[in-house]
């Protein structure tokens, strides 16, 4: 049965306008939710740790910035927008001691609740509002009078208004303009992690670099390999986003179409599908979560080593030079606070 789609008429912003909300963290999702809610008429506090580089950015955007502990004490709805593995320490130090009966904890991803890295008391609401897009797109779409679809979930509902709060929040950030679906913390977490690992991030980046390396090793110019295996990917993905896979095939040449349907399955063959199933099992069993949590506890040495290795790949140097020839591609500062670019 198709999932029910909630739209603007299903939510009442008055519910949030009677409350104070706190956004803990001011990164990609945090800054987007905070700005959109503020412009929807909601009273928003920003909670940050002393010395955070985001303090100046948040103040410049017109927010009152307080410590995380104070934000939790003052707010009725608390959005933990910090990274998954930062949430437990923030929760233990600043959130748990200041929670009181009837407050609402809100997450944009189910990791912390599903894998029990935090265990809220039973007398607080626990909900999720997860936009299906990065924070900067959530913000951009809101400003354009549009919205990014989102998921909502309710884990605990002692007050009886948890779902209504989730729907109101989704409306406040503009998600209802597109549509909102209800899920569970379990379903959102497991499908999100699998998608990131097998397709959207891990699968795609490995496919891109493997294709690039195959062409370069065969004697083709690196620039040609970059254009064919990375640059044009966005053009194809845009077509898929607009009209689905069949719609993309409608727009490409017959030669490309035949190569797609006859050769694609030879790349994603039974061995790859088996690896995907194993990856999903690791997510479902909690094996991946335990590995990632342990990696963080031991200083993220392997994580940083892998990132550093990826950044040194020749495709990055070639891409930097070729993107310099494309003035329509905006330049992003990826060194400072996420909310600043």
């Amino acid at each position: 049965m198709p999932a029910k789609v909630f739209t603007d008429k299903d939510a009442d912003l008055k519910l949030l306008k009677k409350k104070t909300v706190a956004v803990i963290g001011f990164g990609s999702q945090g800054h987007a939710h905070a700005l959109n809610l503020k412009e929807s008429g909601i009273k928003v506090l920003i909670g940050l740790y002393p010395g955070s580089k985001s303090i100046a950015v948040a103040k410049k955007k017109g927010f009152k910035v307080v410590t995380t502990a104070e934000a939790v004490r003052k707010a009725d709805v608390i959005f933990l927008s910090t990274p998954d593995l930062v949430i437990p320490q923030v929760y233990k130090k600043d959130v748990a001691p200041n929670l009181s009966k009837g407050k609402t904890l809100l997450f944009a991803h189910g990791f912390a609740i599903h894998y029990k890295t935090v265990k809220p008391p039973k007398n607080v609401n626990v909900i999720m509002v997860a936009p299906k897009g990065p924070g900067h797109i959530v913000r951009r779409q809101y400003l354009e009078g549009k919205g990014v679809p989102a998921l909502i979930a309710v884990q605990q509902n002692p007050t009886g208004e948890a779902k209504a709060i989730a729907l109101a929040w989704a409306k406040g950030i503009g998600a209802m303009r597109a549509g909102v679906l209800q899920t569970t913390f379990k379903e959102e977490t497991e499908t999100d992690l699998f998608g990131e690992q097998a397709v959207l991030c891990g699968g795609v980046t490995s496919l891109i670099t493997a294709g690039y390396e195959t062409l370069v090793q065969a004697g083709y110019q690196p620039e040609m390999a970059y254009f064919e295996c990375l640059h044009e990917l966005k053009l194809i993905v845009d077509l898929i986003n607009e009209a689905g896979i069949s719609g993309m095939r409608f727009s490409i040449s017959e030669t490309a179409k035949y190569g797609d349907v006859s050769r694609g399955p030879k790349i994603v063959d039974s061995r790859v599908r088996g690896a995907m199933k194993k990856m999903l099992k690791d997510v479902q069993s909690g094996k991946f979560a335990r590995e990632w949590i342990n990696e963080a506890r031991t200083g993220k040495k392997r994580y940083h080593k892998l990132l550093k290795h990826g950044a040194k790949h020749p495709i990055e140097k070639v891409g930097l030079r070729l993107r310099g020839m494309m003035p329509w591609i905006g330049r992003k500062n990826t060194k400072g606070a996420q909310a600043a670019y």
Side-chain angles (χ1 to χ4, degrees), residues 16 19-25 45 47 68-81 90-91 94-96 98-100 102-108 124-127 165 169:
L16 279 186
K19 303 178 185 295
T20 296
V21 310
V23 174
I24 311 302
L45 286 176
T68 300
E70 184 179 350
V72 175
R73 282 194 297 270
K74 290 183 174 181
D76 303 296
V77 184
I78 300 105
F79 173 33
L80 291 174
S81 72
V90 172
Y91 181 83
D94 294 316
V95 178
N98 297 290
L99 271 181
S100 56
K103 288 182 183 282
T104 298
L105 282 178
L106 187 148
F107 299 82
V124 301
N125 296 324
V126 178
I127 62 176
I165 292 172
W169 188 286

Side-chain angles (χ1 to χ4, degrees), residues 6 109 121 184 272 288 306:
F6 297 94
H109 181 36
T184 63
V272 173
F288 169 78
L306 291 172

Side-chain angles (χ1 to χ4, degrees), residues 47-247:
L48 295 168
Y49 63 87
S52 168
K53 61 187 178 183
S54 295
I55 292 175
V57 180
K59 286 183 175 179
K60 188 176 180 181
K61 300 287 186 181
F63 290 102
K64 179 179 180 181
V65 180
V66 298
T67 64
T68 300
E70 184 179 350
V72 175
R73 282 194 297 270
K74 290 183 174 181
D76 303 296
V77 184
I78 300 105
F79 173 33
L80 291 174
S81 72
T82 55
D84 292 329
L85 298 189
V86 174
I87 285 177
Q89 63 197 60
V90 172
Y91 181 83
K92 182 179 180 180
K93 178 177 180 290
D94 294 316
V95 178
N98 297 290
L99 271 181
S100 56
K101 181 180 179 180
K103 288 182 183 282
T104 298
L105 282 178
L106 187 148
F107 299 82
H109 181 36
F111 190 101
I113 294 297
H114 181 54
Y115 294 118
K116 296 180 171 59
T117 62
V118 300
K119 298 178 181 179
K122 295 297 183 182
N123 61 0
V124 301
N125 296 324
V126 178
I127 62 176
M128 176 172 59
V129 179
K132 300 313 293 176
H136 293 87
I137 302 300
V138 173
R139 178 62 179 153
R140 186 187 308 163
Q141 290 294 297
Y142 181 91
L143 290 173
E144 292 177 2
K146 305 171 187 174
V148 172
L151 304 175
I152 63 163
V154 176
Q155 185 77 5
Q156 293 182 186
N157 184 25
T159 69
E161 61 178 11
K163 182 175 178 179
I165 292 172
L167 289 170
W169 188 286
K171 181 170 183 169
I173 64 172
M176 288 291 199
R177 298 169 180 173
V180 169
L181 305 178
Q182 186 163 4
T183 182
T184 63
F185 274 73
K186 178 182 186 296
E187 184 176 56
E188 187 278 337
T189 303
E190 293 177 355
T191 56
D192 186 77
L193 292 176
F194 173 78
E196 290 170 348
Q197 295 169 24
V199 183
L200 305 176
C201 303
V204 166
T205 57
S206 293
L207 189 62
I208 289 170
T209 52
Y212 175 90
E213 290 166 3
T214 299
L215 287 177
V216 172
Q217 289 166 8
Y220 297 98
Q221 295 180 82
E223 293 80 3
M224 293 299 296
Y226 179 88
F227 277 129
E228 297 303 330
C229 297
L230 190 155
H231 175 72
E232 292 190 25
L233 178 64
K234 180 185 184 303
L235 310 179
I236 296 299
V237 170
D238 283 348
L239 290 172
I240 293 173
N241 264 337
E242 290 168 5
I245 294 172
S246 295

Side-chain angles (χ1 to χ4, degrees), residues 2-65:
K4 174 177 171 56
V5 179
F6 297 94
T7 57
D8 268 330
K9 63 181 175 58
D10 298 306
D12 187 356
L13 264 183
K14 291 177 184 176
L15 183 62
L16 279 186
K17 289 181 178 179
K18 298 175 184 177
K19 303 178 185 295
T20 296
V21 310
V23 174
I24 311 302
F26 203 67
S28 178
Q29 287 293 338
H31 95 284
H33 286 234
L35 286 166
N36 292 4
L37 288 168
K38 180 185 175 187
E39 291 172 20
S40 292
I42 311 302
K43 182 180 178 182
V44 182
L45 286 176
I46 304 299
L48 295 168
Y49 63 87
S52 168
K53 61 187 178 183
S54 295
I55 292 175
V57 180
K59 286 183 175 179
K60 188 176 180 181
K61 300 287 186 181
F63 290 102
K64 179 179 180 181
V65 180

